[in-house]
Amino acid sequence: MTASIDTDVQDLGRRQPEWQPWLAVVQEVLNEASNAQWELFIPDRTESLENRAPLLTGTTIAIESNSLRRWTERLLRTASRCGTEKMATLKDVLQETTDDPLFLFKAALCLDESALKQIAVNCHADPDAFQAVTALLPVPFLHACNRRWARSLPHGWIEGYCPICGGWPAIAEVRGIDRSRYFRCGRCAGEWQVNCLVCAYCGMTDHEQLISLVPEQGGNTRVIEACKRCLGYVKTFTTLQATPAARVMLDDLGSVDLDIVAVEHGYKRPPGPGYRFSVTVIDKITDKFSFWRA
């Protein structure tokens, strides 16, 4: 798995050499996502979904703070060495940001922008760079959750956000001869089947309000599906089978040309997650509750 990821990242880097600094961070995250250790920290779920809430909602996550601290330090160190001025500001705040790795992990997992911004300010780090990198901090954990829960997702999930972590879809896939449509989450790489004519963001089903933008290159296998009501869009690829989890993030990055076309036509991805949930994070070793709660 790691060798395949490395090859895919290198191929993308050759096509887009200016992306090399960020690709180094992405490569570190995707390699870590294959680490089976994260499966030890997946919370137990005994109740069924209620009110269309993602599976992580209300869970207690017991995670080893020492392991989490080492991963956080490695991620921030990789980012700080990637050569950009903003990323370099992360170098001198490694110790400060990992004094309470549970709090940082929780803020990143729940996409708590205000908490992440405050941490960046306190540590004199560039807020944009800090939030961009720490948003990737829980990705290995989320991929582990997807591996564990993928077969237990509720049938008939109709929401536009991910049933595991509440993230918006990074891409959509139209698969096989029957052209079944699936959304793929950009954070946990989870998938859920959806109606062919529905907007992920506002639920619009009126075909007159849903349009497709087809770029000059790529034919009908790479299109932009957009909604004229909420002005949201999702990139859609025709494929024979599901994209491997580790490739979802890379396919999203590698199709930035479609993002540019969408933005030029006035469409955008909504900020933040599709569903904001709360969790409790505790130290798996000490079983001591972190007092930071959503």
Side-chain angles (χ1 to χ4, degrees), residues 7-283:
T7 299
D8 291 341
V9 172
Q10 290 168 8
D11 289 344
L12 186 55
R14 281 191 288 269
R15 297 200 306 269
Q16 304 285 350
E18 70 277 11
W19 292 359
Q20 290 288 359
W22 183 246
L23 287 175
V25 178
V26 171
Q27 184 174 13
E28 192 75 51
V29 171
L30 292 180
N31 284 333
E32 181 63 24
S34 64
N35 188 342
Q37 171 186 280
W38 291 97
E39 297 180 14
L40 301 175
F41 310 139
I42 299 173
D44 293 327
R45 288 205 58 88
T46 57
E47 69 277 10
S48 60
L49 288 179
E50 296 181 0
N51 300 321
R52 316 308 293 178
L55 287 171
L56 277 171
T57 304
T59 58
T60 295
I61 302 169
I63 189 167
E64 293 180 359
S65 59
N66 289 335
S67 297
L68 182 59
R69 179 178 290 105
R70 288 192 294 269
W71 162 234
T72 303
E73 290 174 347
R74 180 152 53 90
L75 178 61
L76 291 174
R77 186 177 298 110
T78 298
S80 68
R81 292 174 176 174
C82 70
T84 68
E85 183 177 349
K86 288 186 176 182
M87 292 292 194
T89 65
L90 305 180
K91 178 181 65 175
D92 298 326
V93 299
L94 288 172
Q95 183 59 44
E96 296 172 84
T97 56
T98 55
D99 278 344
D100 190 352
L102 299 179
F103 174 47
L104 177 57
F105 177 81
K106 174 181 168 55
L109 177 63
C110 297
L111 291 178
D112 187 341
E113 294 91 348
S114 61
L116 292 173
K117 182 177 180 180
Q118 189 58 55
I119 295 173
V121 170
N122 293 343
C123 298
H124 308 289
D126 180 86
D128 293 334
F130 184 79
Q131 291 189 61
V133 173
T134 55
L136 299 178
L137 181 64
V139 166
F141 166 76
L142 290 171
H143 273 230
C145 289
N146 177 45
R147 290 193 294 269
R148 173 79 60 82
W149 293 338
R151 296 183 179 180
S152 61
L153 297 179
H155 296 291
W157 180 265
I158 61 173
E159 307 301 330
Y161 51 81
C162 175
I164 293 176
C165 70
W168 289 123
I171 61 174
E173 295 174 341
V174 177
R175 300 179 190 164
I177 298 176
D178 60 353
R179 297 184 62 81
S180 298
R181 186 170 182 244
Y182 294 81
F183 284 145
R184 298 300 300 273
C185 177
R187 304 190 78 204
C188 73
E191 64 175 60
W192 62 106
Q193 191 170 3
V194 293
N195 188 304
C196 288
L197 292 175
V198 63
C199 173
Y201 311 114
C202 71
M204 170 60 68
T205 57
D206 184 351
H207 69 278
E208 293 185 355
Q209 296 295 315
L210 301 174
I211 65 169
S212 294
L213 303 175
V214 182
E216 295 181 359
Q217 297 182 349
N220 293 322
T221 62
R222 302 168 72 250
V223 303
I224 302 161
E225 295 181 337
C227 175
K228 293 195 291 186
R229 182 172 74 174
C230 70
L231 301 181
Y233 76 94
V234 63
K235 298 176 292 187
T236 302
F237 307 118
T238 300
T239 180
L240 292 177
Q241 56 189 2
T243 299
R247 279 207 55 88
V248 172
M249 187 180 296
L250 294 179
D251 284 354
D252 185 26
L253 285 172
S255 56
V256 69
D257 58 309
L258 298 182
D259 295 295
I260 294 173
V261 171
V263 172
E264 288 177 345
H265 282 78
Y267 298 99
K268 60 184 179 180
R269 287 176 170 177
Y275 187 101
R276 291 192 180 275
F277 58 86
S278 65
V279 296
T280 300
V281 181
I282 64 174
D283 192 318

